[in-house]
Coordinates of all heavy atoms in Angstrom, one line a residue:
M1 N -127.8 144.9 -108.8 CA -128.6 143.8 -108.3 C -129.4 144.2 -107.1 O -129.0 145.1 -106.4 CB -127.6 142.6 -107.9 CG -127.7 141.5 -108.9 SD -126.6 140.2 -108.4 CE -127.7 138.9 -108.1
S2 N -130.5 143.6 -106.9 CA -131.4 144.0 -105.8 C -130.9 143.4 -104.5 O -130.1 142.4 -104.5 CB -132.8 143.5 -106.1 OG -132.8 142.1 -106.1
K3 N -131.2 144.1 -103.4 CA -130.7 143.7 -102.1 C -131.8 142.8 -101.5 O -132.5 143.2 -100.6 CB -130.5 144.9 -101.3 CG -129.3 145.8 -101.9 CD -129.0 146.9 -101.0 CE -127.8 147.7 -101.6 NZ -127.4 148.8 -100.9
V4 N -131.8 141.6 -102.0 CA -132.8 140.6 -101.5 C -132.0 139.3 -101.2 O -131.3 138.8 -102.1 CB -133.9 140.3 -102.5 CG1 -134.9 139.3 -102.0 CG2 -134.6 141.6 -102.8
C5 N -132.3 138.7 -100.1 CA -131.7 137.4 -99.7 C -132.3 136.3 -100.5 O -133.6 136.2 -100.6 CB -131.8 137.1 -98.2 SG -131.2 135.5 -97.7
Q6 N -131.5 135.4 -101.1 CA -132.1 134.3 -102.0 C -132.7 133.2 -101.2 O -133.4 132.4 -101.7 CB -131.0 133.8 -102.9 CG -130.5 134.8 -104.0 CD -129.5 134.3 -104.8 OE1 -128.5 133.7 -104.4 NE2 -129.7 134.4 -106.1
I7 N -132.3 133.1 -99.9 CA -132.8 132.0 -99.1 C -134.1 132.5 -98.2 O -135.1 131.9 -98.3 CB -131.7 131.5 -98.1 CG1 -130.6 130.9 -98.9 CG2 -132.3 130.5 -97.2 CD1 -130.9 129.7 -99.7
S8 N -133.9 133.6 -97.5 CA -135.0 134.0 -96.6 C -135.9 135.0 -97.2 O -137.0 135.2 -96.7 CB -134.4 134.6 -95.3 OG -133.7 135.8 -95.6
G9 N -135.5 135.6 -98.3 CA -136.4 136.6 -98.9 C -136.3 138.0 -98.2 O -137.2 138.8 -98.5
K10 N -135.4 138.2 -97.3 CA -135.3 139.5 -96.6 C -135.0 140.5 -97.7 O -134.2 140.3 -98.6 CB -134.2 139.4 -95.6 CG -134.5 138.7 -94.3 CD -133.4 138.9 -93.3 CE -133.8 138.2 -92.0 NZ -133.0 138.6 -90.9
R11 N -135.6 141.7 -97.5 CA -135.3 142.8 -98.5 C -135.3 144.1 -97.8 O -135.5 144.1 -96.6 CB -136.4 142.8 -99.6 CG -137.8 142.9 -99.1 CD -138.9 142.9 -100.2 NE -138.8 141.7 -101.0 CZ -138.6 141.7 -102.3 NH1 -138.5 142.8 -103.0 NH2 -138.5 140.5 -103.0
T12 N -135.0 145.1 -98.5 CA -134.9 146.5 -97.9 C -136.2 146.9 -97.4 O -137.2 146.8 -98.0 CB -134.4 147.5 -99.0 OG1 -133.2 147.0 -99.6 CG2 -134.2 148.9 -98.4
R13 N -136.2 147.4 -96.2 CA -137.4 148.0 -95.5 C -137.2 149.5 -95.4 O -136.1 150.0 -95.4 CB -137.5 147.4 -94.1 CG -137.4 145.9 -94.0 CD -138.7 145.2 -94.2 NE -139.9 145.8 -93.6 CZ -140.5 145.2 -92.5 NH1 -140.1 144.1 -92.0 NH2 -141.6 145.8 -92.0
S14 N -138.3 150.2 -95.3 CA -138.3 151.6 -95.2 C -138.8 152.0 -93.8 O -139.6 151.3 -93.2 CB -139.1 152.3 -96.2 OG -140.5 152.0 -96.1
G15 N -138.3 153.1 -93.3 CA -138.7 153.6 -92.0 C -138.3 155.1 -91.9 O -138.2 155.8 -92.9
N16 N -138.2 155.5 -90.6 CA -137.9 156.9 -90.4 C -136.7 157.1 -89.5 O -136.4 156.3 -88.6 CB -139.1 157.6 -89.7 CG -140.3 157.8 -90.5 OD1 -140.2 158.2 -91.7 ND2 -141.4 157.4 -90.0
N17 N -135.9 158.1 -89.8 CA -134.9 158.7 -88.9 C -135.7 159.6 -88.0 O -136.4 160.5 -88.5 CB -133.8 159.5 -89.5 CG -132.7 158.6 -90.0 OD1 -132.5 157.5 -89.5 ND2 -132.0 159.1 -91.0
V18 N -135.6 159.4 -86.7 CA -136.4 160.3 -85.8 C -135.4 161.1 -84.9 O -134.6 160.5 -84.2 CB -137.3 159.5 -84.9 CG1 -138.1 160.4 -84.0 CG2 -138.3 158.6 -85.7
S19 N -135.5 162.4 -85.0 CA -134.5 163.2 -84.3 C -135.0 163.4 -82.8 O -136.1 163.0 -82.5 CB -134.4 164.6 -85.0 OG -135.6 165.3 -84.8
H20 N -134.2 164.1 -82.0 CA -134.6 164.4 -80.7 C -135.8 165.3 -80.6 O -136.6 165.2 -79.7 CB -133.4 165.1 -80.0 CG -133.6 165.4 -78.5 ND1 -133.8 164.4 -77.6 CD2 -133.8 166.5 -77.8 CE1 -134.0 164.9 -76.4 NE2 -134.0 166.2 -76.5
A21 N -135.9 166.2 -81.7 CA -137.1 167.0 -81.8 C -138.3 166.4 -82.4 O -139.3 167.0 -82.7 CB -136.7 168.3 -82.5
N22 N -138.2 165.0 -82.6 CA -139.2 164.2 -83.2 C -139.5 164.5 -84.6 O -140.6 164.3 -85.1 CB -140.5 164.3 -82.3 CG -141.4 163.0 -82.5 OD1 -140.8 161.9 -82.8 ND2 -142.7 163.1 -82.3
N23 N -138.5 165.1 -85.4 CA -138.7 165.3 -86.8 C -138.4 163.9 -87.5 O -137.5 163.2 -87.1 CB -137.6 166.3 -87.3 CG -137.8 167.6 -86.7 OD1 -138.9 168.0 -86.4 ND2 -136.7 168.3 -86.6
K24 N -139.2 163.6 -88.5 CA -139.1 162.3 -89.1 C -138.7 162.5 -90.6 O -139.2 163.3 -91.3 CB -140.4 161.6 -89.1 CG -140.8 161.2 -87.7 CD -142.2 160.6 -87.6 CE -142.5 160.3 -86.1 NZ -142.8 161.5 -85.3
V25 N -137.6 161.7 -91.0 CA -137.1 161.8 -92.3 C -137.0 160.3 -92.8 O -136.5 159.5 -92.1 CB -135.7 162.4 -92.4 CG1 -135.1 162.4 -93.8 CG2 -135.8 163.8 -91.8
K26 N -137.5 160.0 -94.0 CA -137.5 158.7 -94.5 C -136.0 158.1 -94.7 O -135.1 158.9 -95.0 CB -138.1 158.6 -95.9 CG -139.7 158.7 -95.8 CD -140.2 157.4 -95.2 CE -141.7 157.4 -95.2 NZ -142.2 156.3 -94.4
R27 N -135.9 156.8 -94.4 CA -134.6 156.2 -94.5 C -134.9 154.7 -94.9 O -136.0 154.3 -94.9 CB -133.8 156.2 -93.2 CG -134.5 155.5 -92.1 CD -133.5 155.1 -91.0 NE -132.7 154.1 -91.4 CZ -131.8 153.5 -90.7 NH1 -131.6 153.8 -89.4 NH2 -131.0 152.5 -91.1
K28 N -133.8 154.0 -95.2 CA -133.9 152.6 -95.6 C -133.1 151.7 -94.6 O -132.0 152.1 -94.2 CB -133.4 152.4 -97.0 CG -134.3 153.0 -98.1 CD -133.7 152.7 -99.4 CE -134.6 153.3 -100.5 NZ -134.1 153.0 -101.8
F29 N -133.6 150.6 -94.3 CA -133.0 149.6 -93.5 C -132.6 148.4 -94.5 O -133.4 147.8 -95.0 CB -133.9 149.0 -92.4 CG -134.2 150.0 -91.4 CD1 -135.4 150.7 -91.5 CD2 -133.4 150.2 -90.3 CE1 -135.7 151.6 -90.5 CE2 -133.8 151.1 -89.3 CZ -134.9 151.8 -89.4
F30 N -131.3 148.2 -94.7 CA -130.8 147.2 -95.6 C -130.5 145.9 -94.8 O -129.9 145.9 -93.7 CB -129.5 147.7 -96.3 CG -129.7 148.9 -97.2 CD1 -129.3 150.1 -96.8 CD2 -130.4 148.8 -98.4 CE1 -129.5 151.2 -97.6 CE2 -130.6 149.8 -99.2 CZ -130.2 151.1 -98.8
P31 N -130.8 144.8 -95.4 CA -130.4 143.5 -94.8 C -128.9 143.3 -94.9 O -128.3 143.8 -95.8 CB -131.2 142.4 -95.6 CG -131.4 143.1 -97.0 CD -131.5 144.6 -96.7
N32 N -128.4 142.5 -94.0 CA -126.9 142.3 -93.9 C -126.6 141.1 -94.9 O -126.5 140.0 -94.5 CB -126.5 141.9 -92.5 CG -125.0 141.9 -92.4 OD1 -124.3 142.2 -93.2 ND2 -124.6 141.4 -91.2
L33 N -126.4 141.5 -96.2 CA -126.2 140.5 -97.2 C -124.8 140.2 -97.5 O -124.0 141.2 -97.5 CB -126.9 140.9 -98.5 CG -128.4 141.0 -98.5 CD1 -128.9 141.5 -99.9 CD2 -129.0 139.7 -98.2
K34 N -124.4 139.0 -97.8 CA -123.1 138.6 -98.2 C -123.2 137.7 -99.4 O -124.1 136.9 -99.5 CB -122.4 137.8 -97.0 CG -122.3 138.5 -95.7 CD -121.4 139.7 -95.8 CE -121.4 140.5 -94.5 NZ -120.9 141.8 -94.6
T35 N -122.3 137.7 -100.3 CA -122.2 136.8 -101.4 C -121.2 135.7 -100.9 O -120.1 135.9 -100.6 CB -121.6 137.5 -102.7 OG1 -122.5 138.6 -103.0 CG2 -121.6 136.5 -103.8
K36 N -121.8 134.5 -100.9 CA -121.0 133.3 -100.4 C -121.2 132.1 -101.2 O -122.2 131.9 -101.8 CB -121.5 133.0 -99.0 CG -120.7 132.0 -98.3 CD -120.8 132.1 -96.8 CE -120.2 131.0 -96.0 NZ -118.8 130.7 -96.4
K37 N -120.1 131.3 -101.3 CA -120.1 130.1 -102.1 C -120.3 128.9 -101.1 O -119.7 128.9 -100.1 CB -118.8 129.9 -102.8 CG -118.6 130.7 -104.0 CD -117.3 130.4 -104.7 CE -117.1 131.3 -105.9 NZ -115.9 130.9 -106.6
F38 N -121.3 128.0 -101.5 CA -121.5 126.8 -100.7 C -121.3 125.6 -101.6 O -121.6 125.7 -102.8 CB -123.0 126.8 -100.2 CG -123.3 127.9 -99.3 CD1 -123.9 129.1 -99.7 CD2 -123.0 127.8 -97.9 CE1 -124.2 130.1 -98.9 CE2 -123.3 128.8 -97.1 CZ -123.9 130.0 -97.5
F39 N -120.9 124.5 -101.1 CA -120.7 123.3 -101.8 C -121.9 122.4 -101.7 O -122.3 122.0 -100.6 CB -119.4 122.5 -101.3 CG -119.1 121.4 -102.2 CD1 -118.6 121.6 -103.5 CD2 -119.3 120.1 -101.7 CE1 -118.3 120.5 -104.3 CE2 -119.0 119.0 -102.5 CZ -118.4 119.2 -103.8
L40 N -122.5 122.1 -102.8 CA -123.7 121.3 -102.9 C -123.2 119.9 -103.1 O -122.9 119.5 -104.2 CB -124.7 121.8 -104.0 CG -126.0 121.2 -104.1 CD1 -126.8 121.4 -102.7 CD2 -126.8 121.8 -105.2
E41 N -123.3 119.0 -102.1 CA -122.7 117.7 -102.1 C -123.4 116.8 -103.1 O -122.7 116.0 -103.7 CB -122.6 117.1 -100.7 CG -121.6 117.8 -99.8 CD -121.6 117.2 -98.4 OE1 -122.0 116.0 -98.3 OE2 -121.1 117.9 -97.5
S42 N -124.7 116.8 -103.2 CA -125.4 115.9 -104.0 C -125.1 116.1 -105.5 O -125.0 115.2 -106.3 CB -126.9 116.1 -103.8 OG -127.3 117.4 -104.2
E43 N -124.8 117.4 -105.9 CA -124.5 117.7 -107.3 C -123.0 117.7 -107.5 O -122.5 117.6 -108.6 CB -125.1 119.0 -107.7 CG -126.6 119.1 -107.5 CD -127.3 118.3 -108.6 OE1 -126.8 118.3 -109.7 OE2 -128.4 117.7 -108.2
G44 N -122.2 117.9 -106.4 CA -120.8 118.0 -106.5 C -120.3 119.3 -107.1 O -119.3 119.4 -107.8
V45 N -121.1 120.4 -106.9 CA -120.8 121.7 -107.5 C -120.8 122.8 -106.4 O -121.4 122.6 -105.4 CB -121.7 122.1 -108.6 CG1 -121.6 121.2 -109.8 CG2 -123.2 122.2 -108.1
W46 N -120.1 123.9 -106.7 CA -120.2 125.1 -105.8 C -121.3 126.0 -106.3 O -121.5 126.2 -107.5 CB -118.9 125.8 -105.9 CG -117.8 125.1 -105.1 CD1 -116.9 124.2 -105.7 CD2 -117.5 125.2 -103.8 NE1 -116.0 123.8 -104.7 CE2 -116.4 124.4 -103.5 CE3 -118.0 126.0 -102.7 CZ2 -115.8 124.3 -102.2 CZ3 -117.4 125.8 -101.4 CH2 -116.4 125.0 -101.2
V47 N -122.1 126.5 -105.4 CA -123.2 127.4 -105.7 C -122.9 128.7 -105.0 O -122.7 128.7 -103.8 CB -124.5 126.8 -105.1 CG1 -125.7 127.7 -105.4 CG2 -124.8 125.4 -105.7
E48 N -123.0 129.8 -105.7 CA -122.8 131.1 -105.2 C -124.2 131.7 -104.9 O -125.0 131.9 -105.8 CB -122.0 132.0 -106.1 CG -121.6 133.3 -105.5 CD -120.6 134.1 -106.4 OE1 -119.5 133.7 -106.4 OE2 -121.1 135.1 -107.0
L49 N -124.4 132.1 -103.6 CA -125.7 132.7 -103.2 C -125.5 134.0 -102.6 O -124.5 134.3 -101.9 CB -126.4 131.7 -102.2 CG -126.8 130.4 -102.7 CD1 -127.3 129.5 -101.5 CD2 -127.9 130.5 -103.8
K50 N -126.5 134.9 -102.7 CA -126.5 136.2 -102.0 C -127.4 136.0 -100.9 O -128.6 135.9 -101.1 CB -127.0 137.3 -103.0 CG -126.8 138.7 -102.5 CD -127.2 139.6 -103.5 CE -126.5 140.9 -103.4 NZ -127.0 141.9 -104.4
V51 N -126.9 135.9 -99.7 CA -127.7 135.5 -98.5 C -127.4 136.5 -97.4 O -126.4 137.0 -97.2 CB -127.4 134.1 -98.1 CG1 -127.9 133.1 -99.1 CG2 -125.9 133.8 -97.8
A52 N -128.4 136.6 -96.5 CA -128.3 137.3 -95.3 C -127.5 136.5 -94.3 O -127.4 135.3 -94.4 CB -129.7 137.6 -94.7
T53 N -126.9 137.2 -93.3 CA -126.0 136.5 -92.4 C -126.9 135.5 -91.5 O -126.4 134.5 -91.1 CB -125.3 137.4 -91.5 OG1 -126.2 138.4 -90.9 CG2 -124.2 138.2 -92.3
S54 N -128.1 135.9 -91.3 CA -129.0 135.0 -90.5 C -129.3 133.7 -91.3 O -129.4 132.6 -90.8 CB -130.3 135.7 -90.2 OG -131.0 136.1 -91.4
A55 N -129.3 133.8 -92.7 CA -129.6 132.7 -93.5 C -128.3 131.8 -93.5 O -128.4 130.5 -93.6 CB -129.9 133.1 -94.9
I56 N -127.1 132.4 -93.4 CA -125.9 131.6 -93.3 C -125.9 130.7 -92.1 O -125.5 129.6 -92.1 CB -124.6 132.5 -93.4 CG1 -124.5 133.2 -94.7 CG2 -123.4 131.7 -93.1 CD1 -123.4 134.2 -94.8
R57 N -126.4 131.3 -91.0 CA -126.5 130.5 -89.7 C -127.5 129.4 -89.9 O -127.3 128.3 -89.4 CB -126.9 131.5 -88.6 CG -125.9 132.5 -88.2 CD -126.3 133.3 -87.1 NE -126.3 132.5 -85.9 CZ -126.9 132.8 -84.8 NH1 -127.5 134.0 -84.6 NH2 -126.9 132.0 -83.7
T58 N -128.6 129.6 -90.6 CA -129.6 128.6 -90.8 C -129.0 127.5 -91.7 O -129.2 126.3 -91.4 CB -130.8 129.2 -91.6 OG1 -131.3 130.2 -90.8 CG2 -131.9 128.1 -91.8
I59 N -128.2 127.8 -92.7 CA -127.6 126.8 -93.5 C -126.6 126.0 -92.7 O -126.5 124.8 -92.9 CB -126.9 127.5 -94.7 CG1 -127.9 128.0 -95.7 CG2 -126.0 126.5 -95.5 CD1 -127.4 128.9 -96.8
N60 N -125.8 126.6 -91.8 CA -124.9 125.9 -91.0 C -125.6 125.0 -90.0 O -125.1 123.9 -89.7 CB -124.1 126.9 -90.1 CG -123.0 127.6 -91.0 OD1 -122.7 127.1 -92.1 ND2 -122.6 128.7 -90.5
K61 N -126.8 125.3 -89.6 CA -127.6 124.5 -88.6 C -128.3 123.4 -89.3 O -128.2 122.2 -88.9 CB -128.6 125.4 -87.9 CG -129.4 124.7 -86.9 CD -130.3 125.6 -86.2 CE -131.1 124.9 -85.1 NZ -132.0 125.8 -84.4
K62 N -129.0 123.7 -90.4 CA -129.9 122.6 -91.1 C -129.2 121.9 -92.2 O -129.6 120.8 -92.5 CB -131.1 123.3 -91.7 CG -132.1 123.8 -90.7 CD -133.2 124.5 -91.5 CE -134.5 124.6 -90.9 NZ -135.5 125.2 -91.8
G63 N -128.2 122.5 -92.8 CA -127.6 122.0 -94.0 C -128.1 122.7 -95.2 O -129.2 123.3 -95.2
L64 N -127.3 122.7 -96.3 CA -127.6 123.5 -97.5 C -128.8 122.9 -98.2 O -129.7 123.6 -98.6 CB -126.4 123.5 -98.4 CG -126.6 124.3 -99.7 CD1 -126.9 125.7 -99.4 CD2 -125.4 124.2 -100.6
E65 N -128.9 121.6 -98.4 CA -129.9 121.0 -99.2 C -131.3 121.2 -98.5 O -132.3 121.5 -99.2 CB -129.6 119.5 -99.4 CG -128.4 119.4 -100.3 CD -128.3 118.0 -100.9 OE1 -129.3 117.3 -101.1 OE2 -127.2 117.5 -101.0
A66 N -131.4 121.0 -97.2 CA -132.6 121.2 -96.5 C -133.1 122.6 -96.6 O -134.3 122.9 -96.7 CB -132.5 120.7 -95.1
T67 N -132.2 123.5 -96.5 CA -132.5 125.0 -96.5 C -132.9 125.4 -97.9 O -133.9 126.1 -98.1 CB -131.3 125.8 -96.1 OG1 -130.8 125.3 -94.9 CG2 -131.6 127.3 -96.0
L68 N -132.3 124.8 -98.9 CA -132.7 125.1 -100.3 C -134.1 124.6 -100.6 O -134.9 125.2 -101.2 CB -131.7 124.5 -101.3 CG -130.4 125.2 -101.4 CD1 -129.4 124.5 -102.3 CD2 -130.5 126.7 -101.9
L69 N -134.4 123.4 -100.1 CA -135.7 122.8 -100.3 C -136.8 123.7 -99.6 O -137.9 123.9 -100.2 CB -135.8 121.4 -99.7 CG -135.1 120.3 -100.6 CD1 -135.1 119.0 -99.9 CD2 -135.8 120.2 -102.0
S70 N -136.6 124.1 -98.4 CA -137.6 124.9 -97.7 C -137.7 126.3 -98.3 O -138.8 126.8 -98.4 CB -137.2 125.0 -96.2 OG -136.0 125.8 -96.0
A71 N -136.6 126.8 -98.8 CA -136.7 128.1 -99.6 C -137.5 128.0 -100.9 O -138.3 128.8 -101.2 CB -135.3 128.7 -99.8
A72 N -137.3 126.8 -101.5 CA -138.1 126.6 -102.8 C -139.6 126.4 -102.5 O -140.4 126.9 -103.2 CB -137.5 125.4 -103.5
R73 N -139.9 125.8 -101.4 CA -141.3 125.6 -101.0 C -141.9 126.9 -100.6 O -143.1 127.2 -100.9 CB -141.4 124.6 -99.8 CG -141.6 123.2 -100.2 CD -142.0 122.3 -99.1 NE -140.8 121.5 -98.8 CZ -140.1 121.5 -97.6 NH1 -140.4 122.4 -96.7 NH2 -139.0 120.8 -97.4
K74 N -141.1 127.8 -99.9 CA -141.6 129.1 -99.6 C -141.8 130.0 -100.8 O -142.5 131.0 -100.7 CB -140.7 129.8 -98.5 CG -141.1 129.5 -97.1 CD -140.3 130.3 -96.1 CE -139.2 131.2 -96.5 NZ -138.5 131.8 -95.3
G75 N -141.0 129.8 -101.8 CA -141.0 130.6 -103.0 C -140.0 131.8 -103.0 O -140.1 132.7 -103.8
T76 N -139.1 131.7 -102.0 CA -138.1 132.8 -101.9 C -136.8 132.5 -102.7 O -136.0 133.4 -102.9 CB -137.7 133.1 -100.5 OG1 -137.2 131.9 -99.9 CG2 -138.9 133.6 -99.7
L77 N -136.6 131.3 -103.1 CA -135.4 130.8 -103.8 C -135.4 131.4 -105.2 O -136.3 131.2 -106.0 CB -135.3 129.3 -103.8 CG -134.0 128.8 -104.4 CD1 -132.9 129.2 -103.5 CD2 -134.1 127.3 -104.5
A78 N -134.4 132.3 -105.4 CA -134.2 132.9 -106.8 C -132.8 132.6 -107.2 O -131.9 133.3 -106.8 CB -134.5 134.4 -106.7
L79 N -132.6 131.6 -108.0 CA -131.3 131.3 -108.5 C -131.0 131.9 -109.8 O -131.5 132.1 -110.7 CB -131.1 129.8 -108.6 CG -131.0 129.1 -107.2 CD1 -130.9 127.6 -107.4 CD2 -129.8 129.6 -106.4

């Protein structure tokens, strides 16, 4: 499976390892993804999402339904 957050759309970024001698070697920066189950109260079902830890904090703050609606509007929601 790809390393993409289903809520925020965060994905793997590329960059460089830079040594003390300023040598540059390509590397990847991976998002901090967790697979987590959330309870969707309106439907009465558990939903399993692959989300970044920052998205978990957003869900805790705004609520699951509001976060899902904003992700659907942004186009990052991939169920």
Side-chain angles (χ1 to χ4, degrees):
M1 253 178 116
S2 63
K3 295 184 179 181
V4 179
C5 175
Q6 292 180 310
I7 298 294
S8 65
K10 286 187 178 191
R11 57 183 57 237
T12 303
R13 308 276 314 250
S14 63
N16 291 312
N17 274 337
V18 181
S19 69
H20 184 68
N22 207 26
N23 298 330
K24 294 173 182 73
V25 178
K26 283 293 183 188
R27 64 158 291 183
K28 291 181 179 178
F29 294 94
F30 296 106
N32 189 7
L33 294 179
K34 306 291 179 196
T35 302
K36 183 154 173 55
K37 287 183 180 180
F38 297 97
F39 187 69
L40 190 57
E41 291 182 21
S42 64
E43 302 288 324
V45 295
W46 287 91
V47 179
E48 188 171 286
L49 296 172
K50 191 178 207 182
V51 292
T53 54
S54 58
I56 294 173
R57 294 184 66 195
T58 303
I59 290 170
N60 288 340
K61 183 177 179 180
K62 291 177 155 184
L64 180 60
E65 293 194 33
T67 308
L68 288 174
L69 286 174
S70 65
R73 270 190 253 115
K74 267 188 359 186
T76 60
L77 185 62
L79 291 176

